[in-house]
Amino acid sequence: ARYNLAIALHKLGREKEAAQECRQTLVRFEHASGVAHSDTLRTRALLAECLIAQGENAEAETQLRALLPLAAKVWGAEHRTTLNCQSDLCQALSDQDKNAEAAKMLRRLIPLQTQVLGPESRETLSTRGNYASVLYNLGKSAEAAQEYRQLLPLVARVIGPEDKQVLALHANYANALADLGKSAEAEEEYRQLLPLMARVFGPEDRQ
């Protein structure tokens, strides 16, 4: 029951409460079933997601590094949850500016997710978005722009053009074009983006 409560809180964006429930559930599962039981592993994975959402990326990284070898052993290296945990670790790394390590992991992860989950699964698309952002953070604007260019039509179709994550990817693409000195293309992207952002965030929003 506590695990289901943690999931509900996480979906509501109440990450601090969700993390607290996860910690209590984790202690109980570890005591009753052991650290490698699937219930224990799922709870640790959810805790890591809650920590990332709160910006507690160092602790999330620690949790995920402990989790991944066990997940690969129990579920397999290509299990959906194992792959998602790898993606979460990459997110935690990039949020700590450990972009080179994140990029190396993401280059291995994306083909696996594409093969196992499909090229248009939300998980695969999210990981590709993270990879594009990591490339941009590494100063590789040309590679980032290419990745964004390929990715944007997919996420717009699968998730929707006015989803907040899709708008963020669109903005990042425009920024990458501007950094490359492609001012006319960047301007065109910004002009397409601004009405969408006004509808989603409101005309007074300045983000």
mmCIF file of all heavy atoms in Angstrom, residues 3 6 53 59 74 96 99 102 107 109 111 127 138 148 155 157 163 174 191 197:
data_model
loop_
_atom_site.group_PDB
_atom_site.id
_atom_site.type_symbol
_atom_site.label_atom_id
_atom_site.label_comp_id
_atom_site.label_asym_id
_atom_site.label_seq_id
_atom_site.Cartn_x
_atom_site.Cartn_y
_atom_site.Cartn_z
ATOM 1 N N TYR A 3 3.847 1.593 -1.229
ATOM 2 C CA TYR A 3 4.463 1.758 -2.546
ATOM 3 C C TYR A 3 3.473 2.406 -3.515
ATOM 4 O O TYR A 3 3.825 3.329 -4.257
ATOM 5 C CB TYR A 3 4.937 0.414 -3.086
ATOM 6 C CG TYR A 3 5.502 0.485 -4.483
ATOM 7 C CD1 TYR A 3 6.755 1.035 -4.715
ATOM 8 C CD2 TYR A 3 4.774 0.006 -5.573
ATOM 9 C CE1 TYR A 3 7.277 1.107 -5.996
ATOM 10 C CE2 TYR A 3 5.287 0.077 -6.858
ATOM 11 C CZ TYR A 3 6.540 0.622 -7.062
ATOM 12 O OH TYR A 3 7.051 0.700 -8.339
ATOM 13 N N ALA A 6 3.202 5.987 -2.760
ATOM 14 C CA ALA A 6 4.365 6.721 -3.271
ATOM 15 C C ALA A 6 4.209 7.010 -4.760
ATOM 16 O O ALA A 6 4.527 8.117 -5.227
ATOM 17 C CB ALA A 6 5.642 5.920 -3.009
ATOM 18 N N ALA A 53 13.624 14.490 -9.466
ATOM 19 C CA ALA A 53 12.599 15.534 -9.590
ATOM 20 C C ALA A 53 12.792 16.657 -8.583
ATOM 21 O O ALA A 53 12.402 17.803 -8.830
ATOM 22 C CB ALA A 53 11.209 14.924 -9.427
ATOM 23 N N GLU A 59 22.410 12.039 -4.683
ATOM 24 C CA GLU A 59 21.845 10.874 -3.995
ATOM 25 C C GLU A 59 21.173 9.936 -4.994
ATOM 26 O O GLU A 59 21.265 8.700 -4.868
ATOM 27 C CB GLU A 59 20.850 11.287 -2.921
ATOM 28 C CG GLU A 59 20.365 10.093 -2.099
ATOM 29 C CD GLU A 59 19.341 10.432 -1.026
ATOM 30 O OE1 GLU A 59 19.090 11.628 -0.793
ATOM 31 O OE2 GLU A 59 18.798 9.476 -0.431
ATOM 32 N N VAL A 74 18.590 -9.443 -11.956
ATOM 33 C CA VAL A 74 17.252 -9.960 -11.655
ATOM 34 C C VAL A 74 16.345 -9.918 -12.885
ATOM 35 O O VAL A 74 15.648 -10.894 -13.187
ATOM 36 C CB VAL A 74 16.626 -9.160 -10.486
ATOM 37 C CG1 VAL A 74 15.171 -9.558 -10.273
ATOM 38 C CG2 VAL A 74 17.433 -9.385 -9.209
ATOM 39 N N GLN A 96 24.148 17.130 -12.959
ATOM 40 C CA GLN A 96 25.314 17.480 -12.155
ATOM 41 C C GLN A 96 26.476 17.966 -13.036
ATOM 42 O O GLN A 96 27.611 18.087 -12.566
ATOM 43 C CB GLN A 96 25.784 16.277 -11.347
ATOM 44 C CG GLN A 96 24.790 15.794 -10.303
ATOM 45 C CD GLN A 96 25.285 14.549 -9.601
ATOM 46 O OE1 GLN A 96 26.054 14.616 -8.648
ATOM 47 N NE2 GLN A 96 24.847 13.386 -10.079
ATOM 48 N N ASN A 99 28.532 15.739 -18.055
ATOM 49 C CA ASN A 99 27.965 15.518 -19.382
ATOM 50 C C ASN A 99 28.759 14.529 -20.224
ATOM 51 O O ASN A 99 28.178 13.798 -21.024
ATOM 52 C CB ASN A 99 27.837 16.857 -20.106
ATOM 53 C CG ASN A 99 26.765 17.733 -19.497
ATOM 54 O OD1 ASN A 99 25.592 17.402 -19.521
ATOM 55 N ND2 ASN A 99 27.164 18.867 -18.934
ATOM 56 N N ALA A 102 27.716 11.130 -19.110
ATOM 57 C CA ALA A 102 26.331 10.912 -19.535
ATOM 58 C C ALA A 102 26.255 10.618 -21.028
ATOM 59 O O ALA A 102 25.537 9.714 -21.459
ATOM 60 C CB ALA A 102 25.483 12.126 -19.189
ATOM 61 N N ARG A 107 24.992 7.060 -25.566
ATOM 62 C CA ARG A 107 25.280 6.490 -26.889
ATOM 63 C C ARG A 107 25.095 4.973 -26.894
ATOM 64 O O ARG A 107 24.744 4.399 -27.930
ATOM 65 C CB ARG A 107 26.705 6.866 -27.325
ATOM 66 C CG ARG A 107 26.814 8.279 -27.903
ATOM 67 C CD ARG A 107 28.144 8.510 -28.564
ATOM 68 N NE ARG A 107 29.221 8.633 -27.602
ATOM 69 C CZ ARG A 107 29.626 9.774 -27.038
ATOM 70 N NH1 ARG A 107 29.022 10.894 -27.390
ATOM 71 N NH2 ARG A 107 30.606 9.801 -26.180
ATOM 72 N N LEU A 109 22.963 3.458 -24.686
ATOM 73 C CA LEU A 109 21.597 3.186 -24.254
ATOM 74 C C LEU A 109 20.573 3.359 -25.366
ATOM 75 O O LEU A 109 19.638 2.553 -25.493
ATOM 76 C CB LEU A 109 21.253 4.107 -23.070
ATOM 77 C CG LEU A 109 19.826 4.038 -22.526
ATOM 78 C CD1 LEU A 109 19.498 2.625 -22.047
ATOM 79 C CD2 LEU A 109 19.658 5.050 -21.391
ATOM 80 N N PRO A 111 20.500 2.919 -28.700
ATOM 81 C CA PRO A 111 20.226 1.771 -29.592
ATOM 82 C C PRO A 111 19.496 0.629 -28.887
ATOM 83 O O PRO A 111 18.647 -0.025 -29.498
ATOM 84 C CB PRO A 111 21.632 1.334 -30.040
ATOM 85 C CG PRO A 111 22.490 2.536 -29.860
ATOM 86 C CD PRO A 111 21.938 3.251 -28.665
ATOM 87 N N THR A 127 15.022 9.799 -23.737
ATOM 88 C CA THR A 127 16.463 9.590 -23.664
ATOM 89 C C THR A 127 17.176 10.327 -24.795
ATOM 90 O O THR A 127 18.239 10.928 -24.590
ATOM 91 C CB THR A 127 16.780 8.083 -23.731
ATOM 92 O OG1 THR A 127 16.123 7.424 -22.646
ATOM 93 C CG2 THR A 127 18.274 7.830 -23.615
ATOM 94 N N LEU A 138 27.864 20.151 -23.876
ATOM 95 C CA LEU A 138 29.276 19.888 -24.163
ATOM 96 C C LEU A 138 29.840 20.831 -25.229
ATOM 97 O O LEU A 138 31.008 20.722 -25.601
ATOM 98 C CB LEU A 138 29.454 18.434 -24.620
ATOM 99 C CG LEU A 138 29.299 17.364 -23.533
ATOM 100 C CD1 LEU A 138 29.227 15.981 -24.164
ATOM 101 C CD2 LEU A 138 30.454 17.437 -22.530
ATOM 102 N N TYR A 148 18.192 17.270 -32.431
ATOM 103 C CA TYR A 148 16.904 17.943 -32.227
ATOM 104 C C TYR A 148 16.068 17.918 -33.507
ATOM 105 O O TYR A 148 14.856 17.694 -33.461
ATOM 106 C CB TYR A 148 17.113 19.384 -31.786
ATOM 107 C CG TYR A 148 17.533 19.577 -30.361
ATOM 108 C CD1 TYR A 148 18.655 20.334 -30.035
ATOM 109 C CD2 TYR A 148 16.803 19.023 -29.307
ATOM 110 C CE1 TYR A 148 19.044 20.523 -28.715
ATOM 111 C CE2 TYR A 148 17.177 19.205 -27.990
ATOM 112 C CZ TYR A 148 18.309 19.962 -27.700
ATOM 113 O OH TYR A 148 18.690 20.154 -26.390
ATOM 114 N N VAL A 155 8.568 13.585 -31.533
ATOM 115 C CA VAL A 155 7.939 13.898 -30.245
ATOM 116 C C VAL A 155 6.656 14.693 -30.442
ATOM 117 O O VAL A 155 5.692 14.524 -29.685
ATOM 118 C CB VAL A 155 8.905 14.646 -29.292
ATOM 119 C CG1 VAL A 155 10.057 13.751 -28.885
ATOM 120 C CG2 VAL A 155 9.417 15.941 -29.897
ATOM 121 N N ARG A 157 4.567 14.301 -32.868
ATOM 122 C CA ARG A 157 3.526 13.362 -33.273
ATOM 123 C C ARG A 157 3.124 12.435 -32.128
ATOM 124 O O ARG A 157 1.935 12.171 -31.926
ATOM 125 C CB ARG A 157 4.020 12.526 -34.461
ATOM 126 C CG ARG A 157 2.951 11.592 -35.013
ATOM 127 C CD ARG A 157 3.364 10.914 -36.298
ATOM 128 N NE ARG A 157 4.391 9.898 -36.107
ATOM 129 C CZ ARG A 157 5.648 10.008 -36.488
ATOM 130 N NH1 ARG A 157 6.054 11.106 -37.093
ATOM 131 N NH2 ARG A 157 6.516 9.033 -36.279
ATOM 132 N N ASP A 163 3.047 19.924 -25.734
ATOM 133 C CA ASP A 163 3.536 19.376 -24.476
ATOM 134 C C ASP A 163 4.731 20.205 -24.008
ATOM 135 O O ASP A 163 5.566 20.640 -24.811
ATOM 136 C CB ASP A 163 3.957 17.915 -24.682
ATOM 137 C CG ASP A 163 4.475 17.285 -23.406
ATOM 138 O OD1 ASP A 163 3.662 16.741 -22.637
ATOM 139 O OD2 ASP A 163 5.708 17.337 -23.179
ATOM 140 N N ALA A 174 16.195 25.809 -31.312
ATOM 141 C CA ALA A 174 16.377 27.189 -31.769
ATOM 142 C C ALA A 174 17.652 27.789 -31.180
ATOM 143 O O ALA A 174 18.407 28.486 -31.882
ATOM 144 C CB ALA A 174 15.166 28.028 -31.387
ATOM 145 N N ARG A 191 9.769 32.006 -34.031
ATOM 146 C CA ARG A 191 8.454 32.523 -34.453
ATOM 147 C C ARG A 191 7.392 31.418 -34.402
ATOM 148 O O ARG A 191 6.238 31.680 -34.095
ATOM 149 C CB ARG A 191 8.539 33.126 -35.851
ATOM 150 C CG ARG A 191 9.295 34.445 -35.901
ATOM 151 C CD ARG A 191 9.173 35.113 -37.264
ATOM 152 N NE ARG A 191 9.939 36.343 -37.317
ATOM 153 C CZ ARG A 191 9.525 37.522 -36.853
ATOM 154 N NH1 ARG A 191 8.314 37.604 -36.288
ATOM 155 N NH2 ARG A 191 10.266 38.597 -36.937
ATOM 156 N N MET A 197 4.003 28.584 -27.009
ATOM 157 C CA MET A 197 4.329 28.827 -25.604
ATOM 158 C C MET A 197 3.312 29.751 -24.956
ATOM 159 O O MET A 197 2.953 29.580 -23.790
ATOM 160 C CB MET A 197 5.747 29.401 -25.483
ATOM 161 C CG MET A 197 6.828 28.437 -25.931
ATOM 162 S SD MET A 197 8.505 29.024 -25.625
ATOM 163 C CE MET A 197 8.618 28.812 -23.856
#
